[in-house]
Amino acid sequence: MIALLAPLLAVFLAVPAPPATAAVWSPRPADYPGTVTQRDLAIPMSDGTVLRGDLTLPADADGAAVPGRWPVVVTITAYNKSAQAAGGGLAGSDPTYLVERGYAQLTVDARGTGSSEGTWCAFCTREDTDSGEVVTWAVEQPWSNGSTAMSGPSYMGIDQIFAAASHPKGLKAIFPQVPAADVYRDVVASGGQVDVGFIPLWMGLVTGTGVIPPAVTAGDPRSGLTALAQHLGAIGSFTAPMLLNALGGQDQAYDGDFYAQRSPINVVDEVQVPTFLVSGEYDLFQRGTPLLFERLQQHGVPVRMVTGPWNHLQASAGDGLAEAGHGSLQELQLRWFDHWVKGVPDPRLDDPRDFAPITYYEQGTGAWRTANRWVDPADVRATSLPLAGSAAPGRPGTLGTAPTTAGRSTVLPVPVSGLCSRSSDQWTAGLLSELELLNGACFEDNRVNDTSSTLFETSPLTQTLPVLGPIDARLYVSSNTGDGMLSVGVSDVAPDGSVRRLTGGWQVISMRSLDTDRTRYLDGKVLQPYHPFTQASVSLAKPGQVVPVDVEVFPTGAALQPGHRLRLSVQAFDVPHLAPTLPQLPGVLTALTLHSSAAYPSALVLPTRGRQAGSPR
């Protein structure tokens, strides 16, 4: 029974942190009444390729550029800067706010996109080199005062990490929203199956905006037509082959050099400039952004992270960011850049007691809380909740009670599992909620989706259960094929029966091999498993063989309230998020069996917070 955990939870909750100090910072007014933009400036790269950028400068009341030199905020986008204004939240914040307060904004089309020449290659070595060269070029221009910053969400956030890692001259600070860390594990192939929700949408967006006739063509037909021809060529040489390769179960279905080159986590140790991160509880990069924060903090880089109840589009736009108590997206960028780029004193920003390293939204209470570290051993303990009993439709097994008999539970291969859940919105980047498709009953209440799940639940909680960080579901499973997909959900069940999905995780059984050197442990228990996901690591179990599988459940911040239940749901599919590769397909069309007993101790391991839990803001 969960009541057995009460003494432990009481210890966790006994020592609350002091209340956060009220913020006194307020944004300064605009210095200039307007802005003016110069289009498609030529930015030559070291290999002769010409990228194109739009420069926005402060303007006077007549719309003329104000003479002067400015700190430059650089944004590099793959979504066509000329079309990006219509991109909604994906474009990030309006640069006008900063420009009117004495900054210049340079927005550049990445190689092979928009008006820039070259072939798009999605963070290949050459594109990463471009990022640093663009910042260096900007700092050397007559309208620059020699200092630069970078901003932007998603692709534009990832670009910032690669640029900063190359130490370009003049770069003083960055502000990445929802960047990835490890692109394979974060988004391309969750648990070893290929993402077919977001990746085709994303590649279609880049390709679609890339084949729009470049805006520069009107002023420089030769450059514009050259760029268009190169963009069209990339469809056949990069975009389509990559998708077909992955779905066909070839090299790009597995982790390796291709994804290592494109993963910011492999260069983030080189980043030395102050970094402000924005993360989302339901974001595509829910897993990755906190890992970047953690590595930056470990190396002593000034870093802050705000994590809110947002999908990818919402976090990109900064929707609701002001509710965290630090100001809107534009105000936070102004504060960060004024301090680190312009050198404006801001003692409260420097002091983690006044502006905590982590501010996060706590699901279950709706409070904003703070933390000093991500998975802090002084603040978080590993709480193991064993599975027990044999779950059946309408009759969940138990969670949090040691099994007294051998339990066997069947997970049926229902191909529509996941569709009516928050997962479907998360892995289409928030597009479904933006279009108001499947809203309400599906995204806010997981009951419909859970009818196709095998469930395990705690008894009603007698005390608050606070959680912060990644979760491990160690499940002992067997199948007739020796393979299959485990799609795990962790949810909060209210007394009225409504089910709020907190987070999820996925794992292909044949890719269960564990890299123990890179796995995160807490109190001697696996908390964040690390699977190699290489072709060499694939190992089918024997038909009917029971094997342990650690499912990495993506991190969350939550506090389940007394009277609520914690639910673990297990499915064999997650649609439209994931699809098996062709080699995996025969192995996933089978029922799975979950085992729970003293011999097969299946359990959910939670990072339970409490010793220093930050008070609500």
Side-chain angles (χ1 to χ4, degrees):
M1 302 294 285
I2 196 65
L4 295 176
L5 298 173
L8 181 61
L9 295 178
V11 172
F12 289 164
L13 297 173
V15 188
T21 304
V24 297
W25 181 89
S26 60
R28 58 187 174 85
D31 298 310
Y32 304 97
T35 66
V36 62
T37 300
Q38 302 173 27
R39 306 288 180 186
D40 292 315
L41 301 181
I43 306 173
M45 297 291 98
S46 58
D47 67 347
T49 300
V50 175
L51 307 187
R52 297 284 175 171
D54 290 349
L55 174 68
T56 303
L57 297 171
D60 59 25
D62 295 324
V66 176
R69 292 175 176 268
W70 319 99
V72 183
V73 180
V74 177
T75 302
I76 303 174
T77 179
Y79 304 135
N80 193 328
K81 59 182 173 50
S82 300
Q84 189 163 291
L90 194 59
S93 61
D94 183 350
T96 300
Y97 186 87
L98 288 176
V99 176
E100 290 179 343
R101 286 158 178 80
Y103 291 85
Q105 170 71 42
L106 179 67
T107 304
V108 180
D109 285 324
R111 173 179 295 256
T113 71
S115 287
S116 290
E117 298 175 4
T119 300
W120 182 60
C121 56
F123 305 114
C124 64
T125 301
R126 180 61 246 187
E127 186 180 327
D128 297 343
T129 301
D130 290 346
S131 298
E133 291 186 3
V134 166
V135 176
T136 299
W137 179 87
V139 82
E140 295 172 345
Q141 301 311 300
W143 30 263
S144 169
N145 73 352
S147 295
T148 59
M150 298 188 77
S151 70
S154 193
Y155 198 105
M156 296 158 267
I158 295 170
D159 250 321
Q160 295 175 56
I161 303 297
F162 283 114
S166 69
H167 309 141
K169 181 172 64 175
L171 183 62
K172 300 292 182 62
I174 59 177
F175 201 109
Q177 298 162 242
V178 288
D182 176 337
V183 294
Y184 184 90
R185 289 162 184 79
D186 289 355
V187 68
V188 170
S190 300
Q193 281 196 0
V194 176
D195 180 295
V196 292
F198 172 70
I199 294 296
L201 286 175
W202 170 64
M203 299 192 81
L205 175 63
V206 177
T207 301
T209 56
V211 299
I212 297 172
V216 71
T217 306
D220 189 343
R222 182 179 179 278
S223 179
L225 292 174
T226 297
L228 180 59
Q230 291 170 332
H231 299 179
L232 291 170
I235 299 173
S237 64
F238 176 72
T239 309
M242 177 183 172
L243 286 172
L244 293 174
N245 184 297
L247 288 171
Q250 300 178 50
D251 291 349
Q252 289 174 20
Y254 304 97
D255 195 17
D257 291 343
F258 181 86
Y259 297 110
Q261 164 59 41
R262 291 161 170 81
S263 292
I265 196 69
N266 293 324
V267 301
V268 72
D269 291 348
E270 295 298 320
V271 175
Q272 299 172 356
V273 296
T275 303
F276 199 111
L277 296 161
V278 177
S279 175
E281 292 267 9
Y282 320 128
D283 178 45
L284 299 166
F285 305 128
Q286 170 191 355
R287 173 188 183 273
T289 306
L291 295 178
L292 294 175
F293 167 87
E294 192 170 35
R295 292 279 281 272
L296 289 165
Q297 189 181 56
Q298 287 170 357
H299 288 280
V301 176
V303 61
R304 298 290 186 271
M305 180 175 68
V306 176
T307 301
W310 309 310
N311 60 38
H312 195 63
L313 289 177
Q314 292 166 337
S316 295
D319 289 348
L321 186 56
E323 296 173 9
H326 303 307
S328 68
L329 173 60
Q330 293 171 324
E331 291 169 348
L332 269 171
Q333 289 175 334
L334 177 68
R335 185 176 187 182
W336 196 248
F337 295 154
D338 271 2
H339 184 51
W340 295 110
V341 180
K342 289 192 171 185
V344 177
D346 193 337
R348 288 182 175 270
L349 186 60
D350 288 331
D351 191 340
R353 295 171 299 179
D354 287 324
F355 198 126
I358 300 170
T359 304
Y360 70 98
Y361 177 85
E362 187 176 67
Q363 298 189 71
T365 65
W368 288 90
R369 295 193 180 272
T370 60
N372 292 322
R373 291 175 56 191
W374 186 245
V375 192
D376 185 351
D379 182 29
V380 177
R381 291 183 176 178
T383 298
S384 183
L385 303 180
L387 279 61
S390 298
R395 193 186 70 220
T398 62
L399 186 63
T401 300
T404 56
T405 59
R408 293 169 58 92
S409 306
T410 301
V411 181
L412 296 174
V414 181
V416 296
S417 293
L419 181 62
C420 186
S421 76
R422 189 181 292 280
S423 176
S424 64
D425 187 56
Q426 177 172 2
W427 296 101
T428 53
L431 185 62
L432 294 184
S433 57
E434 186 77 11
L435 298 175
E436 298 186 355
L437 300 174
L438 299 177
N439 284 24
C442 286
F443 298 162
E444 301 303 322
D445 193 334
N446 219 53
R447 273 184 286 193
V448 172
N449 181 74
D450 282 357
T451 59
S452 66
S453 304
T454 299
L455 307 176
F456 293 83
E457 286 184 358
T458 66
S459 300
L461 300 174
T462 58
Q463 297 196 39
T464 301
L465 181 63
V467 175
L468 178 64
I471 298 168
D472 179 59
R474 185 172 180 83
L475 304 177
Y476 286 79
V477 300
S478 61
S479 75
N480 292 331
T481 63
D483 207 357
M485 159 61 81
L486 292 166
S487 174
V488 169
V490 176
S491 301
D492 179 348
V493 183
D496 66 2
S498 60
V499 181
R500 184 169 185 83
R501 179 184 170 98
L502 302 175
T503 185
W506 307 267
Q507 185 58 46
V508 173
I509 294 172
S510 61
M511 302 182 83
R512 66 191 179 278
S513 176
L514 202 63
D515 183 337
T516 56
D517 290 337
R518 302 184 71 174
T519 290
R520 186 195 300 264
Y521 294 86
L522 183 64
D523 298 334
K525 299 180 178 67
V526 172
L527 185 67
Q528 189 168 30
Y530 189 95
H531 302 280
F533 293 123
T534 59
Q535 194 161 13
S537 73
V538 175
S539 176
L540 284 172
K542 296 177 181 179
Q545 179 187 4
V546 181
V547 293
V549 181
D550 286 284
V551 182
E552 180 184 3
V553 181
F554 285 10
T556 190
L560 283 79
Q561 298 302 291
H564 289 233
R565 301 169 184 259
L566 181 68
R567 170 178 287 185
L568 173 71
S569 63
V570 185
Q571 302 173 162
F573 285 86
D574 192 36
V575 175
H577 175 201
L578 299 172
T581 64
L582 286 178
Q584 291 171 344
L585 187 59
V588 302
L589 299 176
T590 183
L592 309 176
T593 302
L594 294 181
H595 301 262
S596 54
S597 65
Y600 301 124
S602 294
L604 184 68
V605 179
L606 302 170
T608 309
R609 191 176 187 210
R611 284 185 174 179
Q612 301 172 13
S615 298
R617 292 191 58 83

